[in-house]
Amino acid sequence: MGNTPTKVGIRLESTAEAGSILKGRIYLSVQTVRERACSLNLILEGEENAQIVTYEKINDKRQKKINRDSSVLYKMEVPLIKFIRGQIKRGQYEYPFEWPLPDDLPSSMLCQIDNKSSFCEIKYKLTAYLDKGNGLPKINDSTISTSVVLLGGVSDRNRQDRARVALQEYPVNASCFGNQGTITMGLDVDTAVAAPQGTIHVGIIGKNNST
């Protein structure tokens, strides 16, 4: 094992879905006689990132402009197990865990355009690390992270929070029924929440006011 005698591993055992329970196991391999550590901690975090690339013509030159934005959607840290006297004996350890997920978390997603230079994404990450009492976890064999793909929850797919686009009038120059007037158009959907493999029903509202 060289200079990194302790390693941490993660295995997820269930599909992550908003409002459900994320299940998995953390594996710990200690090769020294004793490893100093206060606890084995888990961090689950979700974030939303967006980048928009545009081009502007300034003084007859095409210049690239990049706008970025990022926000934290969810972040929580919990100790999975605390070690007596701040030490772990040599051995192979396995710790199952269950993490209740809030039912209002948005689904994982990624949308890219313009050869992937512009994108928006929602992503989640689970990190397991040994807390040795010296601050934030560092990237080494005692820290490991894995991506968590979060699907839309059952409550999202069944909710009936309808959304409606207000009716608007559009002028027309000619139609089958006359040559002037307006057309009133709008739409509504049965839910404002989009989830993978889900169905959104769209209703179109139209009224011909031509004379």
Side-chain angles (χ1 to χ4, degrees), residues 57-188:
K57 192 173 183 181
I58 301 177
N59 297 328
D60 294 328
K61 293 184 179 180
R62 191 166 180 257
Q63 296 188 4
K64 184 177 181 179
K65 184 178 180 181
I66 300 177
N67 294 305
R68 296 187 179 95
D69 191 27
S70 180
S71 61
V72 176
L73 300 175
Y74 178 86
K75 185 172 184 179
M76 182 175 290
E77 178 175 353
V78 296
L80 182 57
I81 185 170
K82 295 183 178 181
F83 302 112
I84 300 176
R85 299 175 182 174
Q87 294 182 339
I88 322 168
K89 294 182 179 181
R90 176 186 292 162
Q92 308 295 319
Y93 301 87
E94 181 178 321
Y95 303 103
F97 70 87
E98 294 186 354
W99 194 301
L101 299 172
D103 58 8
D104 59 349
L105 290 179
S107 306
S108 300
M109 60 83 70
L110 173 64
C111 179
Q112 300 172 317
I113 59 174
D114 297 333
N115 296 322
K116 302 182 180 180
S117 59
S118 295
F119 69 89
C120 60
E121 65 176 357
I122 294 176
K123 63 180 183 179
Y124 297 87
K125 178 177 69 173
L126 179 67
T127 300
Y129 76 97
L130 281 179
D131 181 3
K132 299 184 179 182
N134 53 0
L136 296 175
K138 298 180 180 179
I139 303 301
N140 53 40
D141 284 349
S142 296
T143 300
I144 190 170
S145 298
T146 186
S147 297
V148 177
V149 177
L150 187 68
L151 305 179
V154 175
S155 59
D156 284 346
R157 293 194 291 270
N158 293 336
R159 63 196 297 177
Q160 298 298 317
D161 50 342
R162 302 182 69 90
R164 170 169 291 188
V165 175
L167 297 177
Q168 297 185 33
E169 287 193 350
Y170 300 91
V172 293
N173 295 324
S175 71
C176 297
F177 307 101
N179 56 11
Q180 60 182 355
T182 62
I183 293 179
T184 303
M185 297 189 67
L187 62 86
D188 68 352

